[in-house]
Amino acid sequence: MKSTTPGRARRRVSTSSALVAVAAMAAIGMQAGPAAATPAKPAAGAGQMPAKVSPQEYRALIGKAQSQQGATASELNLGDKVALQTKTVVKDQDGTTHTHYTRTYDGLPVIGGDLIVHRAASGKLERVSRADTHQLKLNTAPSALASTKPATPKAEGSVAPRKVVWMGRDGEAVLAWETVVGGTQQDGTPNRLHVLTDATTGKKIVQWQGVQTGTGRSQYSGTVQLGTSGSGGSYSLRDTGRGNHDTTNLNGGTSGRGTLFTDADDQWGDGTPSNAQTAAVDAAYGAGETWDFYKTVFGRAGIRGDGVGAYSRVHYGRSYVNAFWEDSCFCMTYGDGQGNSKPLTELDVAGHEMTHGVTANTAGLIYEGESGGLNEATSDIMATAIEFWANNSSDVGDYLIGEKINISGNGSPLRYMDRPSKDGSSLDNWGPNAGGVDVHYSSGIANHFYYLLSEGSGSKVINGVSYNSPTADNKPVTGIGREKATAIWYKALTEEFRANTDYKDARRGTLAAASKLYGADSPEYKAVADAWAGVKVGARSGPDDPGPGNPGDTSWAAGTDYKAGDVVTFDGVKYRCLQPHTAQPGWTPAAVPALWEQVA
């Protein structure tokens, strides 16, 4: 394999088959088509592509944002009780910055209240992405507080209830208790279930899972090169060229960091699962390719962008058929599969799991409902792009998820991106129940969108695999290529999506990204609208069937840029825009008279 990290030798590791890395194996996804080292250069808006930011520059950007948190809160008129906390900063090539903040109210964390501040290179505020449209005001000490506080769960790893503010997708906020339930899930995965209950009524509001599932000789990827450390008869699987990423051995355990793999001759594994090093080779290789992909294609230095590597733990439990990402340890963990013979360390699985970390440190998509489906789909989408980019002849790029692990025992992959419902559970298209199904199945909607946007609808063969992707409206979709589709999704993830983003807002975010990268009148922009229409999210781009924000549409829609004087229709009533702005969810003309006036 190639080395994409300059100034560092990568040691060859011989492997026999193909890499396997699955993320909480209920959620991975890949792509097909020729691999490319970088996305196709946009026809317009090249300055909107992510800038290559070194760890030192990233820390400087974070430091600057932190020093201006108070001033920014005042500039946004958030109120005296609100404080901002810088989460991450994304910088574009033209100097534009997108700073993602979380916030507190009266000292309490506001879950779902994150916001993104977009500034020009000059520092001028351009727009703000947020759920609420008015100052947050809430009683943080109601009389019923003590009686509604839940008991601390007895399961190991549980966390006592803490008082928080929950802000839903509609921007409305309530005081709540957040309890974390520990223990172990039925399949052996660690349990970190976050449960929010109303602090006034005691009723459950929402819950989500905090554990996101999903030369050496590897089992899946053939002979690969690894980044190792040491010399003279003492080597370790510590990749100093990639943020000191460690690969450790849990040796059947289910807790702790594990033991760093060491070797005397720097020749790792033998391609069989009976050799404990083989799974480590696959995991280390997958982590290295994922690091290189994000750095080379998007200029991102590691999961957080700060140049610090996560770590990978293999041989978790006994016959554990899963893999997962856990924010609390900043690590990926892989089981050995049925009979301890099929470690879940395939390349797309590693890419899937590490991408959960990228999502956690950018959009922070909450792992439930539609935002949870988008979280899972993001890992599938980026894992697919990584698999194609790696261009490994032993594990060629495809739009199948976890196909080498044979997790079902019948040779079928875990998921299909061209027609997700072929797995028997995933959703091909959006519907009113999309937020009520398991996130690994609602992810099918975005996976299908990504396939349509990349490759288009209908029958085709890519890298020897046959696909046949339908559309919900039975109209064709013309693909724009995997590289452009990936660039659009990444820009939307890091600059537009927030914790509570749903499919409607994902459509808005990807259209905004396509507009910035390629132009609002570009074929790429129209393809995004058409691909979403193909999965029942929004309307087509054509003049006969315009979608929100497209030419010819006069109905109000969140995510649309309005100019003073624009006239829209909302609930059958016409309104005129008073001030230029980007409409946010909930900022309806009827609700925000400062921005709109009714037209007689």
Side-chain angles (χ1 to χ4, degrees):
M1 292 298 298
K2 63 188 182 307
S3 171
T4 54
T5 304
R8 174 177 66 82
R10 296 177 69 187
R11 298 181 171 88
R12 180 170 297 279
V13 202
S14 77
T15 76
S16 61
S17 311
L19 218 64
V20 32
V22 154
M25 258 339 276
I28 310 179
M30 343 264 133
Q31 297 191 147
T38 57
K41 185 177 181 180
Q48 290 291 317
M49 288 295 290
K52 295 188 182 298
V53 176
S54 69
Q56 294 78 12
E57 184 180 0
Y58 178 78
R59 287 192 287 271
L61 288 169
I62 291 290
K64 181 178 180 180
Q66 288 174 333
S67 69
Q68 298 174 344
Q69 286 171 171
T72 299
S74 297
E75 184 179 13
L76 301 181
N77 193 29
L78 297 179
D80 295 340
K81 292 186 177 182
V82 174
L84 294 179
Q85 297 176 335
T86 304
K87 181 178 181 182
T88 188
V89 180
V90 174
K91 182 180 179 180
D92 294 337
Q93 292 176 9
D94 64 0
T96 301
T97 58
H98 312 269
T99 305
H100 206 135
Y101 295 97
T102 58
R103 54 179 147 170
T104 61
Y105 178 79
D106 202 13
L108 303 178
V110 183
I111 300 175
D114 54 318
L115 51 87
I116 308 171
V117 175
H118 310 269
R119 294 186 184 276
S122 64
K124 180 183 177 182
L125 177 67
E126 292 187 325
R127 61 189 176 95
V128 181
S129 302
R130 54 192 286 194
D132 52 329
T133 60
H134 50 268
Q135 281 191 358
L136 176 57
K137 294 182 179 180
L138 199 66
N139 179 8
T140 58
S143 58
L145 194 60
S147 63
T148 62
K149 185 176 182 179
T152 301
K154 296 181 180 179
E156 183 179 356
S158 296
V159 179
R162 66 167 181 165
K163 193 165 54 170
V164 300
V165 175
W166 164 254
M167 183 176 289
R169 293 183 176 93
D170 59 1
E172 294 303 313
V174 296
L175 188 68
W177 290 108
E178 180 190 26
T179 307
V180 180
V181 184
T184 304
Q185 298 179 50
Q186 190 172 1
D187 67 350
T189 305
N191 192 53
R192 299 292 182 269
L193 185 66
H194 295 247
V195 182
L196 266 61
T197 52
D198 192 305
T200 302
T201 67
K203 293 182 179 180
K204 185 172 78 172
I205 302 172
V206 68
Q207 68 180 40
W208 68 88
Q209 184 57 249
V211 177
Q212 298 167 10
T213 61
T215 48
R217 298 182 63 197
S218 76
Q219 187 169 348
Y220 304 103
S221 298
T223 297
V224 297
Q225 293 180 337
L226 302 178
T228 63
S229 303
S231 61
S234 178
Y235 298 90
S236 65
L237 272 183
R238 172 168 292 157
D239 194 338
T240 57
R242 298 184 179 92
N244 288 320
H245 174 276
D246 284 348
T247 305
T248 67
N249 186 2
L250 283 174
N251 195 29
T254 57
S255 63
R257 185 180 178 91
T259 303
L260 181 65
F261 277 92
T262 58
D263 188 79
D265 61 4
D266 210 19
Q267 300 295 306
W268 304 83
D270 62 5
T272 69
S274 59
N275 185 314
Q277 289 185 355
T278 298
V281 169
D282 280 329
Y285 168 72
E289 289 299 298
T290 301
W291 176 287
D292 289 351
F293 168 83
Y294 276 109
K295 185 174 183 180
T296 304
V297 178
F298 297 120
R300 188 178 191 87
I303 287 174
R304 290 190 298 244
D306 59 0
V308 177
Y311 68 97
S312 299
R313 307 185 301 178
V314 298
H315 304 307
Y316 174 90
R318 299 293 180 186
S319 295
Y320 175 65
V321 189
N322 219 323
F324 57 89
W325 166 267
E326 194 168 3
D327 287 334
S328 61
C329 67
F330 199 57
C331 69
M332 292 81 66
T333 304
Y334 304 97
D336 286 328
Q338 290 290 351
N340 296 315
S341 63
K342 282 284 186 179
L344 280 86
T345 47
E346 188 180 344
L347 176 57
D348 56 353
V349 178
H352 177 104
E353 295 307 337
M354 290 183 72
T355 296
H356 274 307
V358 173
T359 298
N361 286 278
T362 54
L365 292 162
I366 294 174
Y367 207 57
E368 68 84 33
E370 293 190 20
S371 60
L374 287 163
N375 189 320
E376 273 299 312
T378 296
S379 283
D380 283 350
I381 287 166
M382 301 311 293
T384 296
I386 291 164
E387 187 179 68
F388 275 102
W389 181 85
N391 200 22
N392 186 310
S393 60
S394 295
D395 190 4
V396 297
D398 55 46
Y399 291 93
L400 308 174
I401 308 305
E403 71 280 358
K404 287 183 172 293
I405 299 167
N406 192 22
I407 200 168
S408 301
N410 59 5
S412 63
L414 182 65
R415 279 187 301 280
Y416 305 81
M417 298 187 86
D418 64 322
R419 190 193 292 257
S421 61
K422 285 196 292 186
D423 67 12
S425 300
S426 292
L427 303 180
D428 287 338
N429 308 306
W430 184 88
N433 69 328
V437 302
D438 186 285
V439 298
H440 298 102
Y441 303 143
S442 61
S443 63
I445 302 164
N447 283 347
H448 190 192
F449 159 80
Y450 177 71
Y451 176 88
L452 288 171
L453 184 61
S454 298
E455 304 293 347
S457 57
S459 302
K460 57 194 58 145
V461 177
I462 304 170
N463 283 358
V465 179
S466 297
Y467 302 95
N468 189 2
S469 191
T471 60
D473 58 5
N474 295 315
K475 296 178 181 179
V477 170
T478 301
I480 61 173
R482 187 181 57 259
E483 291 82 7
K484 289 181 178 180
T486 304
I488 289 170
W489 191 269
Y490 181 81
K491 187 173 182 67
L493 173 74
T494 56
E495 299 178 10
E496 301 292 338
F497 292 179
R498 299 183 309 100
N500 269 326
T501 287
D502 57 10
Y503 273 106
K504 180 181 178 181
D505 191 53
R507 179 185 187 274
R508 177 206 62 79
T510 50
L511 283 171
S515 177
K516 293 289 187 180
L517 288 172
Y518 306 105
D521 295 324
S522 65
E524 291 84 359
Y525 183 95
K526 292 177 172 60
V528 170
D530 290 347
W532 278 123
V535 297
K536 283 190 178 179
V537 181
R540 289 261 170 170
S541 61
D544 296 332
D545 194 10
N550 291 321
D553 181 46
T554 58
S555 60
W556 180 90
T560 305
D561 292 325
Y562 290 110
K563 304 184 299 296
D566 285 348
V567 176
V568 301
T569 300
F570 178 77
D571 281 351
V573 179
K574 289 188 179 297
Y575 295 86
R576 180 181 293 108
C577 180
L578 300 175
Q579 301 179 42
H581 67 282
T582 299
Q584 303 299 319
W587 293 19
T588 64
V592 192
L595 297 177
W596 298 95
E597 65 176 356
Q598 187 171 333
V599 178

